Amino acid sequence: MLIDALRDDFVFGSKGVKFMPYTTYLVGKGAAHSFVAEAKPPTVTMPRIKALMTGSLPGFVDVIRNFNSPTLLEDNVITQAKAAGKRIIFYGDETWVKLFPKHFVEYDGTTSFFVSDYTEVDDNVTRHLDRVLKRGDWDVLILHYLGLDHIGHVSGPNSPLIGHKLSEMDSILMRIHTSLLSEERETPSPSLLVLCGDHGMSESGGHGASSAEEINTALLLISSAFERKPGDIRPPKLVQQTDLAATLAVGLGLPIPKHSVGHLLFPVVEGRALREQLRLLHLNGVQLSRLLQENVPSYEREPGFEQFQVSQKLHGNWVRLFLEENNSEVLLNLGTKVRRQYLDALRTLSLALSRQVAHYDIYSMVVGTVVVLEVFTLLLLSAPQALGRAAQLEVPLSSPVLSLLFYLVLLLLWAVHVGVCTSAGGSCYFCSLSWPTVGVVLVLVSALLCAVTSALTRTCVDGKLRRRNPARTNSRWSELDLLILVGTVGHVLSLGASSFIEEEHQTWYFLVSTLCLALCHESYRNCFPGENGESQRCSHMEGRFARTAPTAKDKSIGCDVLELCQVCQGPSSLHTLRGCEKAMVLASPWLIFGCCRLLRSLNHTGVQWAHRPDLGHWLTSSDHKAELSVLAALSLVMVFALVQSRCSPMSRVAMALGLLGIYCYRASIGHVLLPWQRGSTAISRGIIEARFVYVFVLGILFTGTKDLLKSQVLAADVTAKTVGLWDVYSGLVLLAALLFRPHNLPVLVCSLLIQTVMTKYIWKPLRHDTTEVTIMHYWFGQAFFYFQGNSNSITTVDITAGFVGLDTYVEIPAMFLTAFATYAGPVLWASHLVNFLSSEPSSGSALRRACFCYALVCSAPVSVYIVLVTSLRYHLFIWSVFSPKLLYEGMHLLVTAALCVSFAAVDQTHTSPDPGRAAS
């Protein structure tokens, strides 16, 4: 009986005493052995099932496979049981059916991802109990209950619903146990009832990381074969979750799975004869020592292996004494010593294997790393051209493909591939791909390498031409440019330290706070001109961006000169501001700084401070529902006020009705109160209200898309283009408001407020260039990712957002909604960047420049981090810290690619029909 998210204190703590009395009785006085089973990250369902059944340590890629589990090919207890003729029945999470598709004689799977359902998902399992317990045509029965985990995702571990669900699970356990006891009166062989959890539950209700609440699960083995003396009360012992596979195999008389790193839970067999105990311990030791020899070249020097060799010799001596029928005390003492030696050796071997056994597909990792680095290098070498006056990016792949170097490289790569795959066998993913697929990848690698070589050669030639024809310029970097460069590079370098990854939100909080101070300094300097009466920024920028026109001699390099913007071709716009507007320019950085500081107190994230109470916990408690309701209502009103001014009339009405529907949706599911609501009312799933909002979201997006297409047909219709882009942005804001939890709505309000303030009082008056504006949008997008309560831990992913308005699990919409809710901060800031740049006169080149800059600044941390993770693959925190961050970076890269595609699509509406201006 597997109860999803059954953390240890739900059984052995105060909740267990209060809500699970029968289970508590079995732990204290019954014939049972209790343990706290430690699960290794990632603490999500599919990898944990694999660990329970195989005894091995799954990789972090199983987090992705968790959404669509493939067939488990690794040696496991279920496969061994089926091969031995055991009849297995399963009811519960359909992940088991996907992992073991042809192993059950009877099964009924339930969807595990529809977290809004915590009643029917368990009733569909329990409804089979009475019938199947009366039958005698099965050997193994597996039940997987999901309701407790779903309640945690929706309401957290302190919800009153947790107690009701634990009581329900306790009554089910009692039904099963009493039924098994009644059957044992008729049959001589005892049965074994295992109660366990696959993972725990964090204080926020999620799981996936390595906090104590997530990795410590309850494990209870119940059988009449376990003898308990009166008064023999044992506290739960800490064991590894992988130990269960070896224990179940021994209990069922099956071979221990080949790749199991766990050791036998000795209390389960301590009631057997000493000879049988030693035999079982020896079998487990042989299996672990063989696994050690396969994975550790210097296995002979491992302490566990040496201990096992000593144990075998002592065991041989004991067997000789036993065969001599020596029943003296010497035989008993020697047997006790051998048993103790075996147990120490098994623990040491298991610990060594848990640290050593990690099967890395180095060849596939190297191929992927090479492709990423080639693309990043190409972006770096193309920066002068892409950020120049023409804002063009040309990647000539045709000429490198026709070169001799391309074919030589391709031939060499094919030879390396054949050699590696011949020696690697079937353990390499890249080698398992079809030959046409491999050919496409190798052609891509060769073409990119030749393109990088070509770009590098062109850069060197252009550098020599510039040295021969130096341009007369007083170009220099401003303080803001230096801050942006140092901050971006510093963040990339910080990814090499596990502590900086765990607390990455602090890095972004520091960067945006420092940016606010730098903007404050810049605004003061520009509002109070120097002695000559000219704005200091303008005098500085004139020297920085003045460029001589390229002569006929150096036209070839004119497009490679960086031109960030033409900021000082006219008088500074600060001169046209009135007194109150100039005061707002001076106050804006402090207002932004205050908003960021307030948001830091809303959601504590990371590792060091996540357990401490924050404003979000205070608001979501049942005692402060009225305060949360007022805050949510005010936030929705503020969202409308900040967005509606630039919307089309139809979208403005849809936005108002959609925001009203959002409040009704939150009220229907019990998060907030309606003004006329008195006392407690019936709580629904809010499907109708949420779908009501979806209609308006789609309507606003459709209206915006229609205006964009209209502007593309009518090139002169600039108003339709501007309104269309803002309508699309407004639709995304409405969708984010629907998916955000009520206490997070102030995050959305502050995001919109900061965007409005910076647009009106910072970017336009101070005339920041496209590159600076793009990187500022990227920085604030990353900061708001963490302001939402996200982190680099899988625990903080709010999967409930994927089921808003759905009455059943639909994979694609659920994944899209979850991804959008998680990355709403970066997406909304990137969308606002498109709107801001599209309102500029030279929006075409600005958008192309921004697209390239955004892609470059996003790809830099990903490229460096992939190299770091590959080199640190044996780091102590590779699974708990570095691997989750890699998943986040990979998903962020996909989101960035989608955003860049949208940039390019919008840019098509601004591209001049003049073929001479066509961007490549």
Side-chain angles (χ1 to χ4, degrees), residues 568-873:
C568 285
Q569 292 179 351
S572 173
S573 59
L574 286 174
H575 298 163
T576 64
L577 296 179
R578 292 170 298 191
C580 60
E581 293 177 334
K582 190 171 288 189
M584 279 302 300
V585 172
L586 296 175
S588 294
W590 295 106
L591 175 62
I592 298 169
F593 184 85
C595 289
C596 293
R597 185 62 191 87
L598 178 64
L599 293 178
R600 291 178 63 174
S601 304
L602 184 62
N603 293 303
H604 287 167
T605 184
V607 175
Q608 298 297 328
W609 309 96
H611 63 283
R612 297 198 175 187
D614 52 34
L615 188 57
H617 284 94
W618 185 84
L619 288 170
T620 53
S621 65
S622 57
D623 298 332
H624 304 105
K625 185 176 287 189
E627 290 87 344
L628 179 62
S629 303
V630 173
L631 179 64
L634 291 176
S635 298
L636 293 174
V637 171
M638 285 292 295
V639 168
F640 179 75
L642 291 168
V643 173
Q644 58 85 27
S645 60
R646 294 175 58 186
C647 291
S648 62
M650 185 179 297
S651 297
R652 190 177 296 121
V653 174
M655 174 67 70
L657 294 176
L659 292 172
L660 180 63
I662 290 173
Y663 192 88
C664 294
Y665 164 71
R666 289 299 171 184
S668 66
I669 61 177
H671 287 170
V672 298
L673 300 172
L674 292 170
W676 56 84
Q677 187 172 334
R678 293 291 182 270
S680 60
T681 59
I683 297 177
S684 70
R685 286 155 60 180
I687 294 176
I688 297 177
E689 293 86 349
R691 291 179 176 177
F692 176 79
V693 179
Y694 281 137
V695 170
F696 292 112
V697 171
L698 294 175
I700 296 174
L701 293 176
F702 174 78
T703 302
T705 305
K706 181 192 70 174
D707 290 339
L708 284 176
L709 294 176
K710 179 181 177 182
S711 68
Q712 192 170 13
V713 175
L714 304 176
D717 195 353
V718 180
T719 303
K721 175 255 301 184
T722 305
V723 174
L725 282 173
W726 190 260
D727 281 350
V728 172
Y729 172 71
S730 303
L732 296 178
V733 170
L734 183 60
L735 180 60
L738 173 63
L739 300 181
F740 276 19
R741 300 211 179 194
H743 76 278
N744 262 343
L745 287 175
V747 177
L748 183 59
V749 173
C750 289
S751 177
L752 298 174
L753 180 62
I754 292 174
Q755 290 170 359
T756 304
V757 170
M758 295 191 78
T759 299
K760 189 172 182 180
Y761 298 110
I762 293 181
W763 291 323
K764 288 186 177 180
L766 298 180
R767 295 189 175 184
H768 288 104
D769 58 67
T770 303
T771 304
E772 290 174 345
V773 172
T774 301
I775 296 181
M776 287 188 211
H777 274 84
Y778 173 75
W779 279 21
F780 274 100
Q782 290 299 104
F784 273 89
F785 172 81
Y786 294 103
F787 284 144
Q788 293 175 226
N790 293 317
S791 70
N792 288 323
S793 169
I794 302 174
T795 309
T796 53
V797 176
D798 183 14
I799 64 174
T800 59
F803 304 96
V804 173
L806 301 181
D807 56 1
T808 185
Y809 175 65
V810 185
E811 186 173 2
I812 294 179
M815 293 180 67
F816 169 77
L817 293 175
T818 303
F820 179 81
T822 304
Y823 290 93
V827 170
L828 290 180
W829 276 87
S831 179
H832 183 270
L833 175 62
V834 175
N835 277 274
F836 176 78
L837 296 179
S838 298
S839 63
E840 297 298 310
S842 59
S843 57
S845 62
L847 276 173
R848 290 193 292 272
R849 190 179 292 114
C851 180
F852 178 86
C853 184
Y854 201 89
L856 181 62
V857 76
C858 289
S859 60
V862 177
S863 304
V864 174
Y865 191 70
I866 286 176
V867 177
L868 288 172
V869 170
T870 304
S871 59
L872 296 174
R873 61 187 179 275

Side-chain angles (χ1 to χ4, degrees), residues 434-550:
S434 62
W435 286 105
T437 306
V438 172
V440 171
V441 174
L442 295 183
V443 166
L444 176 63
V445 172
S446 304
L448 286 174
L449 181 61
C450 294
V452 168
T453 305
S454 176
L456 184 60
T457 303
R458 183 181 59 193
T459 302
C460 294
V461 172
D462 291 346
K464 291 181 180 179
L465 291 176
R466 290 194 189 96
R467 285 194 294 272
R468 293 176 184 176
N469 303 279
R472 296 179 181 178
T473 177
N474 296 321
S475 174
R476 68 183 186 190
W477 289 67
S478 69
E479 293 88 343
L480 185 61
D481 293 329
L482 289 174
L483 171 63
I484 288 175
L485 177 63
V486 172
T488 303
V489 174
H491 166 254
V492 171
L493 296 178
S494 71
L495 298 178
S498 60
S499 298
F500 276 92
I501 294 176
E502 291 177 334
E503 307 296 327
E504 188 182 357
H505 60 285
Q506 300 287 5
T507 301
W508 289 111
Y509 296 166
F510 172 78
L511 289 179
V512 295
S513 299
T514 309
L515 178 62
C516 290
L517 296 178
L519 292 173
C520 180
H521 171 68
E522 186 178 25
S523 62
Y524 272 85
R525 190 174 60 182
N526 282 270
C527 286
F528 301 102
E531 295 179 358
N532 58 359
E534 188 179 7
S535 170
Q536 294 184 28
R537 177 178 175 90
C538 268
S539 63
H540 167 68
M541 287 299 185
E542 284 177 354
R544 175 183 164 200
F545 293 109
R547 295 287 188 269
T548 57

Side-chain angles (χ1 to χ4, degrees), residues 34-79:
S34 56
F35 306 93
V36 174
E38 180 181 345
K40 299 296 184 183
T43 48
V44 292
T45 297
M46 193 273 278
R48 294 301 96 218
I49 295 176
K50 288 178 64 174
L52 287 168
M53 294 296 102
T54 65
S56 62
L57 300 175
F60 230 91
V61 71
D62 288 320
V63 174
I64 301 174
R65 294 174 179 169
N66 187 58
F67 293 98
N68 189 16
S69 307
T71 302
L72 181 60
L73 302 178
E74 190 175 351
D75 190 19
N76 60 84
V77 175
I78 301 294
T79 301

